[in-house]
């Protein structure tokens, strides 16, 4: 079975959804490592509880981004990681890192890309007055929130929705969509041609 690393910086609800999907057999892989850059992140407690190895790698402990990423790569190699799932990892990986794991890094974004890129996508869609937003799982390339799209799901913004209720709907969609994208990827069913991902 392949080894997956999840990268997260915060709450970790997607991390937990991925761990529980693996347990349920929705996809066949080991969640072997959590990579986290934030010692205060809630996701750390979730990983401990689930008995998953943690690599807590703090940017401020390294003189450069290159050295910070070199440490992460060392930890990934040690655990023989073949697939990376970014789940609220609030750092941009360098082109060198992305190249090393080309088409083996997935990211989840809480909007229908290319709309509402960035760190506050749910709020941005809500404040903009959008009627529809959603969730995107995509391969990571050198540009932020940009790589080839694997799966998307639309989420309606009803007039009764508050920011909080929208956030809940988005997370619910994320927790279903991300394991599904991981499954397709692990089963070798994603063919990437330029920007297009063909599901075979
Ligand atoms: C998720 O909504 C994810 O889509 C988002 O961070 C949240 C993490 O929540 N990622 C981005 O905004 C990346 N641009 P979680 O820690 O509960 O999984």
């Amino acid at each position: 079975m392949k080894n997956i690393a999840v990268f997260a910086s915060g709450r970790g609800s997607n991390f937990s959804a991925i761990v529980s999907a693996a347990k349920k057999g929705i996809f066949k892989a080991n969640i072997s490592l959590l990579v986290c850059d934030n010692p205060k992140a809630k996701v750390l407690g979730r990983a401990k509880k689930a008995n998953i190895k943690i690599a807590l790698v703090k940017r401020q402990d390294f003189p450069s981004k290159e050295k910070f990423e070199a440490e992460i790569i060392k930890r990934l190699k040690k655990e023989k990681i073949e697939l990376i799932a970014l789940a609220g990892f609030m750092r941009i990986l360098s082109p060198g890192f992305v190249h090393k794991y080309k088409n083996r890094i997935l990211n989840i974004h809480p909007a229908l890309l290319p709309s509402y890129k960035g760190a506050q996508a749910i709020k941005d869609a809500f404040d903009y007055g959008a009627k529809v937003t959603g969730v995107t799982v995509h391969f990571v390339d050198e540009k932020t929130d940009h790589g080839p799209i694997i799966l998307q799901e639309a989420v309606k913004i009803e007039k009764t929705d508050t920011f909080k209720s929208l956030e809940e709907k988005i997370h619910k969609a994320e927790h279903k969509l991300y394991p599904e994208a991981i499954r397709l990827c692990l089963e070798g069913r994603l063919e990437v041609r330029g920007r297009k991902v063909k599901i075979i």
Side-chain angles (χ1 to χ4, degrees):
M1 276 213 287
K2 285 193 175 171
N3 293 320
I4 299 182
V6 178
F7 285 32
S9 308
R11 194 171 66 134
S13 71
N14 280 285
F15 168 80
S16 291
I18 291 168
V19 169
S20 105
K23 262 195 196 151
K24 283 185 200 148
I26 289 175
F27 57 76
K28 297 202 177 352
N30 302 311
I31 308 303
S32 310
L33 188 67
L34 167 72
V35 174
C36 181
D37 61 329
N38 171 14
K40 291 190 181 139
K42 270 197 183 159
V43 69
L44 294 169
R46 293 177 188 258
K48 277 182 201 143
K49 224 172 160 183
N51 231 340
I52 288 167
K53 228 176 244 181
I54 297 170
L56 178 60
V57 188
K58 292 179 273 173
R59 173 65 184 87
Q60 60 268 32
D61 289 347
F62 298 87
S64 64
K65 182 167 178 167
E66 207 183 335
K67 294 220 161 82
F68 164 70
E69 289 188 347
E71 174 64 23
I72 295 178
I73 288 168
K74 202 174 97 190
R75 308 289 285 266
L76 296 176
K77 285 197 170 144
K78 194 171 161 219
E79 302 304 327
K80 299 188 166 53
I81 300 298
E82 288 172 272
L83 186 69
I84 296 169
L86 305 184
F89 187 64
M90 292 311 190
R91 280 185 190 278
I92 292 160
L93 296 168
S94 71
F97 189 107
V98 171
H99 195 72
K100 246 191 189 78
Y101 288 90
K102 193 170 160 56
N103 292 343
R104 291 191 294 150
I105 312 175
L106 274 51
N107 182 43
I108 187 144
H109 185 74
L112 294 175
L113 289 173
S115 288
Y116 311 110
K117 294 180 179 185
Q120 298 201 13
I122 306 174
K123 187 171 185 304
D124 291 345
F126 185 75
D127 290 349
Y128 197 78
K131 307 279 190 210
V132 178
T133 182
V135 174
T136 303
V137 181
H138 65 94
F139 283 112
V140 171
D141 68 3
E142 288 78 6
K143 294 185 199 157
T144 310
D145 298 332
H146 176 271
I149 291 168
I150 301 168
L151 291 175
Q152 287 189 306
E153 189 171 307
V155 172
K156 273 191 178 175
I157 306 177
E158 309 285 357
K159 57 176 184 270
T160 49
D161 268 322
T162 59
F163 168 63
K164 209 160 167 34
S165 68
L166 176 62
E167 206 177 32
E168 276 165 21
K169 287 202 280 191
I170 293 277
H171 288 314
K172 198 169 164 213
E174 286 188 325
H175 299 163
K176 208 175 98 254
L177 206 68
Y178 213 173
E180 176 63 13
I182 291 172
R183 181 177 71 80
L184 292 170
C185 190
L186 287 167
E187 289 176 355
R189 293 180 52 199
L190 302 177
E191 213 174 82
V192 187
R193 287 217 193 119
R195 277 216 54 81
K196 309 250 170 75
V197 179
K198 194 170 153 194
I199 300 175
I200 48 176

